[in-house]
């Protein structure tokens, strides 16, 4: 099946077109649904079906029932995660720490209102301005006996129905020199004071507002997040759709400043950014006025081919399959990265060195007793 119908279906859901250029066959509808699931955008695409039904382009009834069931589960999961985000931020507030919801439920608030509850959610990523040692201590205070942690975040085991990653560093680059600059940039630019209203009813007894980074911050951060996953794990259409809505919401910031392009150049991301802008234009029909830089078709085609092959977070990319364990993960990342060498050589080159450095760094911390007892 041509990917054209897949892109057109997303454009109908986003209000960028009224109907598909041709009516899919039953087989094509099945393939479309499988592709949408692979890319974790089936929920958003469901919103297009009412409009397509009016145009006489309905999917088969059996497929429609499956789609309705999946969309209902996505809505329920979003309601749960919105509730958990509010509860989590309240807990940290009571402990005296500022926090901010990264990506996920925070970015969902940028979506058009009918699509917010249809964005397929994952886990909760929350940044807490406390540092690694205090983060581990807080996890213990929340009742967690064993804490898995690394350079960037730890797994916070609070609820059985919700995965939580607690960040004490917002993001990381595996290029050690770039990462040092990146941590300085975050120290200078993290803004935890943006409150955005949740469109679902607030939890009883809690303020129904979610603290997230500013849209100007997300213009760089979300693209950086996509870039990192693209290099080392794989990235899917859901993450690119997130950035589409960041760009739509960041229109004022884009037209008033060129700071974002200067930052992208500083971290060697302009080629990738230009490729992503072409994807925004090709897949989502985004207007040039919303873009942060000129599109680059050659790089955009390469990025899009990788996204379509790998699926959501590269889960369908056979190059990332491995036998398990940290060594297996490292070898899979190195194999995956090899074909990216000609596009992003400095970041690809540093990947195996990062794994060695990170292992030594963590051993040094544990050896010198800089860890919290019992973890």
């Amino acid at each position: 099946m041509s990917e054209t119908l897949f892109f057109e279906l997303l454009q109908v859901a986003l209000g960028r077109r009224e109907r598909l250029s041709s009516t899919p066959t039953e087989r094509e509808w099945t393939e479309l649904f499988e592709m949408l699931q692979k890319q974790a955008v089936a929920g958003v695409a469901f919103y297009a079906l009412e409009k397509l039904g009016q145009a006489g382009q309905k999917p088969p009834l059996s497929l429609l029932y499956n789609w309705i069931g999946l969309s209902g589960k996505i809505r329920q999961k979003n309601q749960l995660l919105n509730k958990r985000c509010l509860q989590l931020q309240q807990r940290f507030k009571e402990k005296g720490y500022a926090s901010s919801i990264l990506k996920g439920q925070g970015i969902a608030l940028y979506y058009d209102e009918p699509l917010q509850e249809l964005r397929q959610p994952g886990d909760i990523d929350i940044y807490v301005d406390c540092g690694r040692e205090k983060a581990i201590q807080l996890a213990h205070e929340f009742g967690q006996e064993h804490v898995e942690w690394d350079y960037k975040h730890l797994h916070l085991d609070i609820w059985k129905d919700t995965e939580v990653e607690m960040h004490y560093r917002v993001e990381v680059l595996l290029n050690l020199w770039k990462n040092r600059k990146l941590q300085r940039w975050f120290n200078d630019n993290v803004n935890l004071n943006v409150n955005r209203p949740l469109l679902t009813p607030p939890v009883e007894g809690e303020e129904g507002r979610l603290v997230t980074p500013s849209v100007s911050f997300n213009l760089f951060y979300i693209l950086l997040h996509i870039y990192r996953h693209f290099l080392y794990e794989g990235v899917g259409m859901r993450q690119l759709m997130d950035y589409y809505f960041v760009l739509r919401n960041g229109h004022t910031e884009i037209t008033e400043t060129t700071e974002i392009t200067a930052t992208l150049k500083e971290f060697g991301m302009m080629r990738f950014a230009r490729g992503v802008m072409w994807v925004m234009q090709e897949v989502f029909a985004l207007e040039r006025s919303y873009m942060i830089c000129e599109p680059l078709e050659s790089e955009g085609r390469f990025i899009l081919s990788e996204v379509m092959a790998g699926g959501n977070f590269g889960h369908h990319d056979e190059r990332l399959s491995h036998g398990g364990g940290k060594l297996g993960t490292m070898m899979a990342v190195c194999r995956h990265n090899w074909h990216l060498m000609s596009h992003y050589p400095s970041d690809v080159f540093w990947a195996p060195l990062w794994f060695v450095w990170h292992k030594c760094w963590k051993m040094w911390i544990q050896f010198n007793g800089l860890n919290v007892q019992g973890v």
Side-chain angles (χ1 to χ4, degrees):
M1 183 200 69
S2 171
E3 292 176 351
T4 301
L5 285 176
F6 174 75
F7 301 153
E8 289 180 355
L9 182 57
L10 294 182
Q11 290 171 20
V12 174
L14 298 179
R16 311 302 297 162
R17 62 185 299 132
E18 294 300 314
R19 57 175 293 151
L20 304 176
S21 58
S22 63
T23 301
T25 65
E26 184 172 340
R27 179 179 178 179
E28 285 176 329
W29 271 118
T30 300
E31 292 176 352
L32 268 173
F33 187 60
E34 290 175 353
M35 189 178 295
L36 291 164
Q37 289 180 294
K38 174 182 174 180
Q39 297 291 342
V41 290
V44 171
F46 178 77
Y47 185 69
L49 297 187
E50 181 178 353
K51 188 180 293 185
L52 292 178
Q54 296 172 355
Q57 296 182 319
K58 296 181 180 179
L61 197 58
S62 59
L63 178 60
L64 178 60
Y65 287 148
N66 288 336
W67 214 329
I68 291 172
L70 175 62
S71 300
K73 291 178 181 178
I74 290 173
R75 286 189 173 100
Q76 290 176 356
K77 184 66 172 180
N78 274 311
Q79 291 169 5
L80 172 65
L81 289 189
N82 286 340
K83 174 182 176 180
R84 293 301 190 213
C85 284
L86 289 169
Q87 292 173 333
L88 192 58
Q89 293 204 296
Q90 181 64 26
R91 286 200 183 192
F92 285 116
K93 183 178 180 181
E94 291 170 356
K95 292 287 186 180
Y97 290 95
S99 65
S100 183
I101 300 297
L102 303 174
K103 305 172 290 184
Q105 299 311 107
I107 296 300
L109 297 175
Y110 292 145
Y111 279 54
D112 297 339
E113 184 175 347
L115 300 179
Q116 291 187 11
E117 63 179 4
L118 290 170
R119 177 193 178 273
Q120 186 163 318
D123 56 11
I124 294 175
D125 288 87
I126 184 167
Y127 172 77
V128 183
D129 189 17
C130 64
R132 177 186 53 80
E133 293 184 59
K134 186 61 181 180
I136 297 172
Q137 182 179 328
L138 285 169
H140 284 309
E141 291 177 9
F142 289 149
Q144 186 171 343
E145 182 177 350
H146 180 71
V147 182
E148 292 288 341
W149 57 274
D150 59 23
Y151 179 83
K152 181 174 67 173
H153 53 30
L154 57 80
H155 177 73
L156 196 57
D157 189 9
I158 298 181
W159 301 291
K160 292 183 178 180
D161 57 15
T162 306
E163 295 284 330
V164 178
E165 299 290 345
M166 178 181 175
H167 290 243
Y168 28 87
R169 290 187 173 94
V170 179
E171 189 53 276
V172 60
L173 283 171
L174 304 196
N175 181 320
L176 291 171
W177 300 109
K178 284 187 180 181
N179 185 59
R180 182 178 297 178
K181 290 195 299 182
L182 182 67
Q183 301 314 314
R184 287 200 298 265
W185 189 90
F186 282 133
N187 288 337
D188 294 338
N189 289 277
V190 169
N191 181 348
L192 303 181
N193 299 317
V194 177
N195 292 296
R196 300 178 60 86
L198 283 171
L199 297 181
T200 54
V203 180
E204 185 178 354
E206 295 177 344
E207 183 184 8
R209 301 185 70 86
L210 198 63
V211 180
T212 69
S214 65
V215 65
S216 58
F217 179 88
N218 278 329
L219 281 170
F220 171 65
Y221 167 57
I222 298 301
L223 185 60
L224 174 72
H225 175 68
I226 294 171
Y227 180 61
R228 185 183 185 279
H229 275 282
F230 180 78
L231 288 177
Y232 308 123
E233 299 171 62
V235 72
M237 196 60 67
R238 184 187 65 172
Q239 290 73 45
L240 291 170
M241 184 178 289
D242 282 352
Y243 199 59
Y244 164 83
F245 281 105
V246 172
L247 290 168
R248 296 277 299 184
N249 281 266
H251 181 62
T252 302
E253 283 78 1
I254 292 172
T255 56
E256 290 183 352
T257 181
T258 58
E259 287 185 13
I260 178 66
T261 55
T263 304
L264 292 171
K265 288 178 181 177
E266 180 181 0
F267 292 101
M269 291 174 54
M270 275 302 296
R271 180 175 178 173
F272 181 77
R274 293 186 64 195
V276 169
M277 293 308 103
W278 184 86
V279 175
M280 294 292 123
Q281 172 185 284
E282 183 73 8
V283 176
F284 305 115
L286 182 68
E287 300 92 333
R288 176 64 185 88
S289 60
Y290 288 97
M291 298 182 187
I292 56 176
C293 55
E294 287 289 335
L296 179 60
E297 181 177 352
S298 59
E299 195 63 21
R301 289 190 180 279
F302 173 72
I303 293 171
L304 185 56
S305 67
E306 292 291 301
V307 169
M308 297 306 293
N312 190 46
F313 285 131
H315 292 162
H316 301 270
D317 194 335
E318 294 181 357
R319 293 167 301 190
L320 286 169
S321 61
H322 58 86
K326 293 183 179 179
L327 180 59
T329 300
M330 183 184 76
M331 295 302 295
V333 168
C334 290
R335 286 197 308 271
H336 174 265
N337 283 12
W338 183 249
H339 75 291
L340 301 175
M341 182 67 78
S342 62
H343 292 260
Y344 313 105
S346 64
D347 292 294
V348 171
F349 172 79
W350 277 95
L353 300 178
W354 168 270
F355 283 102
V356 175
W357 176 87
H358 187 270
K359 179 67 174 178
C360 295
W361 169 81
K362 192 167 183 177
M363 289 175 62
W364 182 84
I365 288 176
Q366 294 170 328
F367 179 77
N368 286 277
L370 300 179
N371 201 1
V372 178
Q373 186 176 3
V375 303

